[in-house]
Amino acid sequence: MVRRLSKMFVLRKEHFPLLNELAELSRSLASGGIHAPMWHPWIKSFKKGDALVAEVDPLGVLNRIGLLSPDEVSKLQNIVKDNHNSFPGFNLNCPLMELKVFPELKQPEFLWKEAQAITSESLLKYEKKDLGRLANLFRSFPQEIAPRLKGGGRKVSSTLALLQRLTFETFAPETFLHGLALQIVAAVREGRLPRETGLAILYGKPNKNSLRMDPWQITLILDVADVDSFSYRVADPAVPSEWSVLLLQSDLAGGSAPNEKTVICGLTGQTDVPIGDKMPSPNLPILGPTYLMSMNADVPCQTRYGRTSTKIFPAGMKSIQNLNNAIRFITDPRRRNTTWTGVPSSFNDKSDLLITYLDEEPYAEVPLAGLFADIEADDQLKLATYEARTQHIHQALRLIEKRGRDLHIRVIALSQIDKGRKQVIFSGCYSTAAVYRGRDNWLAGARNIPDIAVPFPTGKGKPAEWRSGYFPSPNEAMSSFKEQWLRGGQLAQRVPGVELSRIYALMLDPDAHSQAKWLLDKYLPLTQALMIGLARFLAQGPNLPQSFRKNLDRALPRALVVIAVYGILLYRQDRKKEIYMEGRDYLLGQFLQFSDRLHKLYCEHERKGSMPPQLIGNAAVSMAIQSPNRALQVLSQRMLVYLAWADRYKGVDAGLVKWTRKELGRISADLRDTDLSLRVAPNGKAELLLGYLANTKSAQKQEEKAE
């Protein structure tokens, strides 16, 4: 038993990956000689979205209501002890006012008349428990933090004034809500608040399906009305750092320290004061509030050794504080697209959080996130391919490299498993040399395809724009694994994707042969229908039915990504195009393409342009993948009439018909020396589809010149 307990208290990376990753980040920051800004665990970001600002005058009366945009709110911080205590902002439950009318009367104009009739005697929607929650927010928590913020400078003078005003009787919950409702009406009248938003706060959001007014929440931030009397207002981005300093000083003075004893921290090995019963929960971008570590004591397996939560291993307050500072620094909103960004989740439509930084220089402003994900760039780069978008990142990295010193890029991805759990789904550390090599392999793979051009419609009556040679990002590649195309590319449905680690391994691992093989096996059933549909579009174009063409806006860009990913997956298995374009499966694809060409020419000249729903090569693709020999037998029988026509045709397109007939003969001769009885392997399926789509116009022009 003693031995098992001793093993349990050894902190292993696989047990608490997030803590260990943050410890690495904290050490990297400290090794640079500059420490990340110190943030008290209570200082947290607001939730994403709009927020109301309620200004309070020196008499404690609500003076004015304003609305902040999500961008403005993202720059502010809040003091949040737990889910029940926060200042100066909190979630305001809506609706505020009772509305006793029939659903059919709940129309905007009627609601606005009701709103203008609100008085201090109007009936509130709030129940007793909700009023009690407001009383706690106005009295208990402010009285707890007020003494801890005393002694601060001019940055917190407005905060202290607001805390004092919250003690006035005007902040009795019922009085406050009535005053807030009246100020909301005034703000709508004066154009400071959209009417729709104001009515939703007062009466709820209209639900057309249920004919009800649904409850919701909006962030409400309290501030001082007499802003000119202070150097800083409460809702100022510069103020929270001063709150943090004062709260940390209060902790050190013993105001809220857990106890006086010391421990050897399991993360750093240094002497420290115990963290207490709870670790910080920073509000991370994309993921929201995130516990650095949590253990549910109600789960039986967590109590096997009689310890839960922070008692599982010794954690020091200073060490955990440094971890909190590090994660907040690296995910600061101003470092978006530099050290953090969003990446597609493998199992749902939400995004995961990607964090990346230079181990040796975590403060560097190189936008490393762009190497692994799609980031918001300037207008010139928004439509550029992955190659163009990452070129300047590599140039910036090379500028900070020094002789005799290796640089390493650390990459961490976090995903939300459920509302209470966030999990490390990927962690890796790569030398810059490996990243350069990985990018080169990725781009070489995207080039590992024949010339395939895709026409993009530009407008009615305008010529199409032909695009080829696209370089997708790892993000785009991963997203394409989350769609399964059906009905010849006419329909796409969402499916579970692949792990982010597989995509990064495909790009960065020196030997990705087995990874690429696994991914291609997964990819082909998802994308085969899209490739067959693209070939049908290239052959028949405007002759396709409207049901097929209406999905082109979505299908064509996806097709460019899929074609490039085929090339990457083949390249990482050492299947270079110089080799596979001479192989049986590629030639099968070419045979199918020229079968379609001859069939189309026949229909244009013998059937006066009337096309069947599907050309013969396109109809035989699935059969060719399953049984090449059987497909060629069927095609040979069906093509007899078209071959006979080609031999006697003397019209305006005689040169094209002759060339197509000649190419079919050449490919048939090449296929005669191959074993057609063997089924097509996964690599061969991709090669067959690429051969089917390959552009042969250049070969045709060369043939015409030679003649």
Side-chain angles (χ1 to χ4, degrees):
M1 180 67 179
V2 173
R3 182 177 298 174
R4 287 195 299 177
L5 278 172
S6 64
K7 286 183 178 180
M8 188 187 72
F9 290 114
V10 175
L11 188 61
R12 300 180 185 274
K13 185 169 185 176
E14 60 269 22
H15 292 165
F16 303 102
L18 178 56
L19 288 179
N20 280 280
E21 292 294 350
L22 296 183
E24 292 288 345
L25 172 58
S26 180
R27 281 191 284 270
S28 295
L29 292 171
S31 65
I34 306 173
H35 292 276
M38 296 293 287
W39 288 107
H40 191 276
W42 290 3
I43 307 298
K44 299 178 182 178
S45 304
F46 286 99
K47 69 179 182 181
K48 188 176 181 180
D50 296 327
L52 288 177
V53 175
E55 298 180 353
V56 183
D57 69 15
L59 299 177
V61 177
L62 287 181
N63 182 268
R64 174 186 166 99
I65 295 291
L67 186 67
L68 297 180
S69 68
D71 184 59
E72 292 171 316
V73 175
S74 69
K75 297 178 175 66
L76 303 178
Q77 304 285 333
N78 204 18
I79 304 177
V80 183
K81 180 181 179 181
D82 52 40
N83 293 335
H84 308 289
N85 296 281
S86 62
F87 172 88
F90 57 88
N91 290 329
L92 179 71
N93 292 338
C94 305
L96 306 183
M97 312 305 297
E98 187 67 70
L99 186 66
K100 293 188 176 180
V101 294
F102 293 104
E104 58 266 26
L105 296 179
K106 294 179 183 178
Q107 302 299 322
E109 289 305 320
F110 172 81
L111 292 175
W112 179 233
K113 290 180 181 179
E114 287 287 303
Q116 294 179 92
I118 291 175
T119 69
S120 59
E121 303 298 324
S122 297
L123 188 62
L124 294 171
K125 184 71 173 178
Y126 270 50
E127 298 179 3
K128 186 176 181 179
K129 63 176 182 178
D130 296 322
L131 294 172
R133 171 178 167 270
L134 277 181
N136 179 67
L137 288 168
F138 293 151
R139 295 291 172 88
S140 300
F141 188 56
Q143 289 175 10
E144 179 181 346
I145 62 174
R148 302 182 65 181
L149 298 181
K150 285 183 178 178
R154 54 197 182 98
K155 282 188 178 180
V156 297
S157 57
S158 59
T159 303
L160 293 171
L162 177 60
L163 288 167
Q164 175 62 29
R165 293 171 191 181
L166 292 182
T167 62
F168 297 165
E169 289 302 319
T170 50
F171 276 89
E174 295 91 340
T175 305
F176 171 80
L177 290 173
H178 279 117
L180 180 63
L182 292 170
Q183 287 300 325
I184 286 171
V185 174
V188 172
R189 283 200 190 106
E190 296 168 14
R192 288 180 279 107
L193 188 66
R195 180 185 290 189
E196 181 181 2
T197 303
L199 294 177
I201 295 170
L202 293 172
Y203 300 115
K205 289 187 174 181
N207 186 322
K208 295 181 181 179
N209 295 326
S210 64
L211 298 178
R212 289 183 175 183
M213 307 299 281
D214 289 343
W216 65 295
Q217 289 184 330
I218 189 172
T219 300
L220 176 66
I221 303 173
L222 300 175
D223 207 336
V224 292
D226 47 335
V227 178
D228 294 340
S229 302
F230 304 95
S231 301
Y232 296 83
R233 65 184 306 157
V234 178
D236 189 302
V239 171
S241 61
E242 189 72 10
W243 293 341
S244 181
V245 169
L246 293 170
L247 290 171
L248 289 170
Q249 289 175 353
S250 177
D251 286 349
L252 292 174
S256 62
N259 49 53
E260 296 295 330
K261 70 177 183 179
T262 60
V263 296
I264 302 298
C265 179
L267 287 166
T268 63
Q270 298 177 354
T271 303
D272 206 340
V273 177
I275 182 63
D277 295 330
K278 186 179 179 182
M279 287 197 184
S281 54
N283 193 0
L284 300 184
I286 299 176
L287 301 181
T290 302
Y291 291 104
L292 296 188
M293 191 204 78
S294 63
M295 283 288 182
N296 188 350
D298 295 329
V299 178
C301 68
Q302 308 289 16
T303 59
R304 181 179 180 185
Y305 299 108
R307 294 176 181 249
T308 59
S309 187
T310 55
K311 295 183 177 63
I312 290 176
F313 66 90
M317 177 183 288
K318 183 178 179 181
S319 300
I320 299 301
Q321 182 62 58
N322 287 338
L323 266 58
N324 186 52
N325 297 336
I327 188 65
R328 292 196 53 165
F329 164 79
I330 212 71
T331 59
D332 186 281
R334 292 167 294 186
R335 299 181 69 82
R336 182 178 184 180
N337 297 333
T338 299
T339 57
W340 68 270
T341 190
V343 291
S345 171
S346 62
F347 55 89
N348 58 39
D349 292 332
K350 297 180 180 179
S351 293
D352 293 335
L353 173 63
L354 180 84
I355 298 172
T356 180
Y357 61 92
L358 275 173
D359 230 1
E360 291 76 17
E361 294 192 25
Y363 285 87
E365 294 298 324
V366 180
L368 296 174
L371 293 173
F372 307 98
D374 298 329
I375 63 175
E376 297 173 4
D378 56 56
D379 291 338
Q380 293 182 345
L381 287 175
K382 278 182 181 177
L383 298 179
T385 64
Y386 177 74
E387 179 184 31
R389 296 200 306 269
T390 55
Q391 185 176 4
H392 73 289
I393 303 175
H394 279 228
Q395 292 171 347
L397 272 175
R398 287 190 168 96
L399 288 175
I400 62 175
E401 289 181 332
K402 297 177 182 178
R403 185 180 296 274
R405 184 186 72 161
D406 293 331
L407 289 179
H408 295 84
I409 298 174
R410 194 170 291 274
V411 187
I412 310 164
L414 301 173
S415 183
Q416 179 168 312
I417 306 304
D418 52 43
K419 189 174 182 179
R421 291 184 299 160
K422 315 300 189 297
Q423 181 173 303
V424 175
I425 58 170
F426 179 79
S427 172
C429 187
Y430 304 94
S431 68
T432 50
V435 172
Y436 298 150
R437 184 172 58 250
R439 176 179 179 268
D440 290 343
N441 284 334
W442 188 268
L443 299 179
R447 297 188 186 98
N448 188 41
I449 55 173
D451 180 24
I452 299 174
V454 178
F456 282 71
T458 57
K460 191 173 182 179
K462 296 181 180 179
E465 177 187 347
W466 290 82
R467 301 179 193 172
S468 62
Y470 186 74
F471 297 97
S473 67
N475 260 25
E476 291 173 303
M478 184 168 180
S479 295
S480 68
F481 275 89
K482 297 172 64 176
E483 289 181 320
Q484 181 173 23
W485 291 88
L486 306 168
R487 294 172 57 191
Q490 298 182 63
L491 175 68
Q493 64 181 18
R494 304 296 288 177
V495 294
V498 297
E499 297 88 345
L500 188 68
S501 58
R502 292 188 179 275
I503 301 298
Y504 289 163
L506 179 67
M507 180 171 70
L508 296 168
D509 282 5
D511 181 9
H513 187 282
S514 59
Q515 196 70 255
K517 183 179 184 302
W518 187 94
L519 288 169
L520 187 58
D521 288 348
K522 172 84 172 177
Y523 202 50
L524 284 165
L526 302 177
T527 57
Q528 180 176 307
L530 176 60
M531 295 295 96
I532 295 174
L534 175 62
R536 185 180 174 193
F537 170 65
L538 292 174
Q540 295 180 255
N543 295 308
L544 291 173
Q546 181 63 29
S547 62
F548 189 92
R549 285 184 282 135
K550 70 179 181 180
N551 292 313
L552 288 179
D553 288 345
R554 181 181 181 189
L556 293 180
R558 287 286 194 267
L560 280 178
V561 173
V562 171
I563 291 167
V565 173
Y566 278 0
I568 294 169
L569 294 172
L570 290 171
Y571 184 84
R572 296 299 271 153
Q573 297 180 71
D574 294 325
R575 292 291 296 174
K576 310 293 177 57
K577 65 179 180 180
E578 294 81 8
I579 299 173
Y580 74 70
M581 287 175 67
E582 302 293 331
R584 182 201 71 171
D585 299 321
Y586 184 86
L587 291 172
L588 277 171
Q590 290 275 279
F591 189 87
L592 295 171
Q593 179 187 150
F594 280 98
S595 299
D596 280 347
R597 282 174 173 267
L598 188 62
H599 189 189
K600 181 182 179 183
L601 288 168
Y602 175 85
C603 292
E604 287 175 346
H605 295 284
E606 293 297 311
R607 300 180 60 183
K608 298 180 180 180
S610 176
M611 296 282 176
Q614 201 171 14
L615 297 176
I616 58 172
N618 198 264
V621 177
S622 297
M623 186 190 301
I625 289 174
Q626 294 297 321
S627 174
N629 197 30
R630 174 63 178 160
L632 288 177
Q633 289 177 4
V634 172
L635 280 174
S636 298
Q637 292 298 317
R638 293 195 62 187
M639 289 178 62
L640 289 175
V641 62
Y642 310 129
L643 292 170
W645 167 79
D647 290 336
R648 66 174 184 270
Y649 179 73
K650 304 293 184 183
V652 289
D653 284 333
L656 179 58
V657 172
K658 177 183 176 183
W659 178 76
T660 304
R661 175 72 175 84
K662 180 180 177 181
E663 286 298 296
L664 276 168
R666 178 186 63 81
I667 297 169
S668 297
D670 291 340
L671 285 172
R672 193 176 298 119
D673 297 329
T674 64
D675 187 352
L676 295 172
S677 64
L678 295 176
R679 295 188 64 178
V680 181
N683 281 350
K685 293 177 183 178
E687 294 164 8
L688 185 151
L689 292 170
L690 292 174
Y692 187 29
L693 293 167
N695 181 16
T696 56
K697 289 185 178 179
S698 58
Q700 177 189 342
K701 290 178 180 178
Q702 290 176 4
E703 178 80 11
E704 291 171 352
K705 287 181 181 179
E707 292 179 354

